Short mmCIF file of all heavy atoms in Angstrom, two decimals:
data_model
loop_
_atom_site.label_atom_id
_atom_site.label_comp_id
_atom_site.label_asym_id
_atom_site.label_seq_id
_atom_site.Cartn_x
_atom_site.Cartn_y
_atom_site.Cartn_z
N ALA A 122 -25.66 108.85 -33.39
CA ALA A 122 -24.94 109.93 -34.06
C ALA A 122 -25.16 109.78 -35.55
O ALA A 122 -25.16 108.68 -36.08
CB ALA A 122 -23.46 109.84 -33.74
N GLN A 123 -25.40 110.88 -36.20
CA GLN A 123 -25.55 110.84 -37.65
C GLN A 123 -25.15 112.20 -38.19
O GLN A 123 -25.05 113.16 -37.44
CB GLN A 123 -26.98 110.50 -38.03
CG GLN A 123 -27.99 111.54 -37.55
CD GLN A 123 -29.42 111.08 -37.71
OE1 GLN A 123 -29.75 109.93 -37.49
NE2 GLN A 123 -30.28 111.99 -38.11
N LYS A 124 -24.91 112.26 -39.49
CA LYS A 124 -24.62 113.55 -40.09
C LYS A 124 -25.89 114.40 -39.97
O LYS A 124 -26.89 114.01 -40.57
CB LYS A 124 -24.27 113.42 -41.56
CG LYS A 124 -23.04 112.57 -41.85
CD LYS A 124 -23.05 112.39 -43.35
CE LYS A 124 -21.96 111.51 -43.85
NZ LYS A 124 -22.15 111.22 -45.28
N TRP A 125 -25.92 115.51 -39.35
CA TRP A 125 -24.94 116.11 -38.49
C TRP A 125 -25.56 116.45 -37.15
O TRP A 125 -25.68 117.60 -36.81
CB TRP A 125 -24.35 117.38 -39.15
CG TRP A 125 -23.79 117.07 -40.51
CD1 TRP A 125 -24.34 117.38 -41.71
CD2 TRP A 125 -22.57 116.37 -40.82
NE1 TRP A 125 -23.54 116.92 -42.75
CE2 TRP A 125 -22.45 116.29 -42.21
CE3 TRP A 125 -21.57 115.80 -40.02
CZ2 TRP A 125 -21.37 115.68 -42.84
CZ3 TRP A 125 -20.50 115.18 -40.66
CH2 TRP A 125 -20.41 115.14 -42.06
N ASN A 126 -25.98 115.45 -36.43
CA ASN A 126 -26.51 115.72 -35.09
C ASN A 126 -26.46 114.47 -34.23
O ASN A 126 -26.23 113.37 -34.72
CB ASN A 126 -27.93 116.25 -35.17
CG ASN A 126 -28.92 115.17 -35.51
OD1 ASN A 126 -28.74 114.42 -36.47
ND2 ASN A 126 -29.93 115.02 -34.72
N PHE A 127 -26.68 114.69 -32.93
CA PHE A 127 -26.84 113.57 -32.00
C PHE A 127 -28.31 113.49 -31.61
O PHE A 127 -28.95 114.51 -31.41
CB PHE A 127 -26.04 113.80 -30.71
CG PHE A 127 -24.55 113.78 -30.91
CD1 PHE A 127 -23.82 114.95 -30.92
CD2 PHE A 127 -23.88 112.58 -31.05
CE1 PHE A 127 -22.44 114.93 -31.07
CE2 PHE A 127 -22.50 112.54 -31.20
CZ PHE A 127 -21.79 113.73 -31.22
N VAL A 157 -20.97 107.71 -40.54
CA VAL A 157 -19.50 107.74 -40.47
C VAL A 157 -19.05 107.72 -39.01
O VAL A 157 -19.88 107.65 -38.10
CB VAL A 157 -18.96 109.02 -41.15
CG1 VAL A 157 -19.30 109.00 -42.62
CG2 VAL A 157 -19.51 110.27 -40.48
N ILE A 158 -17.76 107.77 -38.77
CA ILE A 158 -17.26 107.81 -37.40
C ILE A 158 -17.52 109.20 -36.82
O ILE A 158 -17.20 110.22 -37.43
CB ILE A 158 -15.74 107.53 -37.34
CG1 ILE A 158 -15.43 106.16 -37.92
CG2 ILE A 158 -15.24 107.59 -35.89
CD1 ILE A 158 -13.95 105.81 -37.89
N HIS A 159 -18.15 109.22 -35.65
CA HIS A 159 -18.30 110.46 -34.89
C HIS A 159 -17.57 110.26 -33.56
O HIS A 159 -17.10 109.16 -33.27
CB HIS A 159 -19.78 110.76 -34.64
CG HIS A 159 -20.56 110.98 -35.90
ND1 HIS A 159 -20.57 112.18 -36.58
CD2 HIS A 159 -21.36 110.16 -36.61
CE1 HIS A 159 -21.34 112.07 -37.64
NE2 HIS A 159 -21.83 110.85 -37.70
N ALA A 160 -17.46 111.32 -32.77
CA ALA A 160 -16.84 111.19 -31.45
C ALA A 160 -17.59 112.09 -30.48
O ALA A 160 -17.69 113.29 -30.70
CB ALA A 160 -15.37 111.59 -31.51
N CYS A 228 -19.29 116.92 -31.19
CA CYS A 228 -18.56 115.90 -31.91
C CYS A 228 -17.12 116.35 -32.07
O CYS A 228 -16.85 117.49 -32.43
CB CYS A 228 -19.20 115.67 -33.28
SG CYS A 228 -18.39 114.34 -34.19
N ALA A 229 -16.19 115.44 -31.79
CA ALA A 229 -14.77 115.79 -31.88
C ALA A 229 -14.09 115.04 -33.03
O ALA A 229 -12.90 114.79 -33.00
CB ALA A 229 -14.08 115.47 -30.56
N GLU A 230 -14.88 114.65 -34.02
CA GLU A 230 -14.31 113.92 -35.16
C GLU A 230 -14.24 114.88 -36.33
O GLU A 230 -15.21 115.03 -37.06
CB GLU A 230 -15.21 112.72 -35.49
CG GLU A 230 -14.56 111.71 -36.40
CD GLU A 230 -13.36 111.06 -35.75
OE1 GLU A 230 -13.55 110.42 -34.70
OE2 GLU A 230 -12.26 111.21 -36.28
N ASP A 235 -19.27 118.71 -41.61
CA ASP A 235 -19.96 119.49 -40.58
C ASP A 235 -19.94 118.89 -39.19
O ASP A 235 -20.81 119.17 -38.38
CB ASP A 235 -21.42 119.73 -41.01
CG ASP A 235 -21.54 120.80 -42.07
OD1 ASP A 235 -20.70 121.72 -42.06
OD2 ASP A 235 -22.44 120.72 -42.91
N HIS A 236 -18.92 118.06 -38.89
CA HIS A 236 -18.86 117.51 -37.52
C HIS A 236 -18.82 118.63 -36.49
O HIS A 236 -19.35 118.49 -35.40
CB HIS A 236 -17.62 116.63 -37.35
CG HIS A 236 -17.68 115.33 -38.09
ND1 HIS A 236 -18.50 114.30 -37.70
CD2 HIS A 236 -17.04 114.91 -39.19
CE1 HIS A 236 -18.33 113.28 -38.54
NE2 HIS A 236 -17.46 113.63 -39.46
N SER A 237 -18.16 119.72 -36.86
CA SER A 237 -18.02 120.82 -35.89
C SER A 237 -19.36 121.48 -35.57
O SER A 237 -19.47 122.24 -34.62
CB SER A 237 -17.05 121.86 -36.43
OG SER A 237 -17.53 122.37 -37.66
N MET A 239 -21.99 119.69 -34.87
CA MET A 239 -22.74 118.74 -34.04
C MET A 239 -22.57 119.10 -32.58
O MET A 239 -21.78 118.51 -31.87
CB MET A 239 -22.25 117.31 -34.29
CG MET A 239 -22.44 116.85 -35.72
SD MET A 239 -21.68 115.25 -36.06
CE MET A 239 -22.59 114.15 -35.00
CU1 LIG B 2 -19.56 113.90 -36.08
#
Side-chain angles (χ1 to χ4, degrees):
Q123 62 190 39
K124 299 171 183 171
W125 304 105
N126 74 309
F127 292 104
V157 296
I158 301 180
H159 298 279
C228 183
E230 195 64 61
D235 284 329
H236 289 288
S237 59
M239 298 173 63

